[in-house]
Amino acid sequence: MLAAGRRPFAALMRAALALAVGLGAACYSNEYLDGLCANTGVCPDPPPESPVAFRITSLELVDPHTYTFDTVLGVCTDSTATLNGFIAQGIADYDVSNVLVLRPLDPNSAVAKLQFVSALCIAGEPTNCTDRMVAGTHTVDADAFNREAGNCGGTEPNSLNSAYDAPAQPPAPCIVSQRISGTPVRLAAQTGMTPLDLALVEVELAAAYAVDGEPQKLVQGALRGFMPAAAAMMPAGQANGISFVPWNVLAGGAGCQVDAMNTFSDIDNHGLYGQGVWMYFNFTAERVQWATDRPEPMPETGGLGETDGTGGTAATTGPTGDATATTTVGTGS
């Protein structure tokens, strides 16, 4: 049902994205410091680059699994691998480009600003991405915290099925976001079809740094969030023209059971939202060139950066403050 075929990227969208990301730019460092050094001879050490963007290049659902009834064979099958293949094809075709933007990229800082956005990207050397022309509903900001020991991220009690692969637990040095109250996670966006977005709440992103080599990467990434039953029972979008209703493929929801004699449930209970399902994805991401019109956050006393103004649960979307600026960060010179 979810088998995906390769589809060429629309030429008009390529042209629009080229204008949005400003492909005329070639190589970047820190333009202000370069100018200061050239004009005054004062050449201070540059601060950590900000912002730095990482495009998710692999995204795999590990818990729960999905189950689909095969009308040809007349059996219920675990369709998770098919779903993950469909997601992977959309990423490879640049139909979907979920991007994590860090302000700054500095594993030694206590706190960073993280933007999670369903961006627009063009493949290349380097790949070019932007949040220009992206709806405010598909970009969210949060504080993120660096750890020099232990692991980042975690799982909810009694929310995992021991028969499935376990979600990643990124080792230090790593970064973990605060819980984001709610954001859609885009899985597919095929031309002429309704994008496939999972409406998750209490979203957390975590990943280990692998920034010493080229390309710089975030590895052993973990994305988790809760999907309330009311949201899971609604169509989340289309997969190859077929309406995708998460509840209909979940064991314990309306999904079929592979073994009718040994039924089980992947449905969880949440203290606030009631019935639903905790969803766990593993991911990796690679650094991309980033173009944005968002201003940089202003640091507060103590160097922890601006707050999100919501008490630490989630931040609003869009630029903050009245000033406007254009920032373009490359991946090397």
Side-chain angles (χ1 to χ4, degrees):
M1 179 178 72
L2 292 170
R6 187 170 180 84
R7 180 179 50 78
F9 201 84
L12 289 177
M13 182 58 75
R14 284 187 182 276
L17 292 184
L19 291 173
V21 301
L23 292 183
C27 174
Y28 297 89
S29 54
N30 188 306
E31 295 179 3
Y32 171 77
L33 290 179
D34 289 346
L36 181 67
C37 182
N39 294 326
T40 68
V42 177
C43 304
D45 292 332
E49 292 180 80
S50 179
V52 173
F54 294 85
R55 177 179 181 263
I56 290 180
T57 51
S58 69
L59 182 67
E60 179 184 33
L61 177 66
V62 292
D63 195 313
H65 280 200
T66 62
Y67 297 90
T68 306
F69 188 78
D70 189 318
T71 56
V72 176
L73 299 177
V75 296
C76 182
T77 62
D78 185 329
S79 59
T80 315
T82 303
L83 174 61
N84 284 331
F86 178 74
I87 295 171
Q89 191 64 61
I91 294 173
D93 290 344
Y94 282 77
D95 294 335
V96 174
S97 292
N98 292 306
V99 173
L100 289 79
V101 185
L102 297 179
R103 296 176 168 87
L105 172 63
D106 183 7
N108 296 317
S109 67
V111 180
K113 288 295 179 182
L114 182 147
Q115 178 189 7
F116 180 62
V117 53
S118 179
L120 303 172
C121 296
I122 301 176
E125 295 293 339
T127 291
N128 292 267
C129 297
T130 184
D131 59 359
R132 296 166 181 159
M133 304 188 299
V134 173
T137 53
H138 283 76
T139 178
V140 66
D141 299 301
D143 284 336
F145 310 95
N146 288 303
R147 293 180 182 169
E148 297 179 353
N151 298 89
C152 289
T155 60
E156 293 296 317
N158 304 314
S159 65
L160 299 178
N161 187 325
S162 60
Y164 307 152
D165 291 338
Q169 290 191 314
C174 55
I175 189 167
V176 57
S177 75
Q178 65 184 101
R179 288 205 177 183
I180 300 167
S181 59
T183 187
V185 175
R186 177 150 293 179
L187 301 184
Q190 296 174 294
T191 300
M193 301 181 191
T194 305
L196 179 54
D197 295 333
L198 296 184
L200 303 183
V201 299
E202 296 196 6
V203 175
E204 183 183 86
L205 297 131
Y209 287 106
V211 296
D212 292 336
E214 291 292 340
Q216 293 180 318
K217 298 179 180 180
L218 299 177
V219 297
Q220 299 184 55
L223 185 161
R224 66 167 172 152
F226 186 78
M227 178 180 289
M233 292 177 185
M234 300 296 292
Q238 291 179 300
N240 283 344
I242 300 173
S243 180
F244 183 81
V245 180
W247 195 256
N248 291 348
V249 296
L250 295 176
C256 58
Q257 295 277 345
V258 175
D259 185 353
M261 300 301 294
N262 297 285
T263 61
F264 66 96
S265 175
D266 283 327
I267 302 305
D268 303 307
N269 288 297
H270 189 285
L272 177 62
Y273 295 100
Q275 269 200 334
V277 59
W278 280 101
M279 306 198 77
Y280 295 89
F281 293 85
N282 290 345
F283 72 87
T284 58
E286 293 187 4
R287 187 172 174 182
V288 294
Q289 184 166 290
W290 184 245
T292 184
D293 292 326
R294 294 167 56 110
E296 286 298 284
M298 297 297 293
E300 292 184 340
T301 302
L304 296 183
E306 67 174 8
T307 62
D308 59 14
T310 62
T313 57
T316 57
T317 60
T320 56
D322 296 325
T324 59
T326 301
T327 304
T328 308
V329 177
T331 59
S333 52

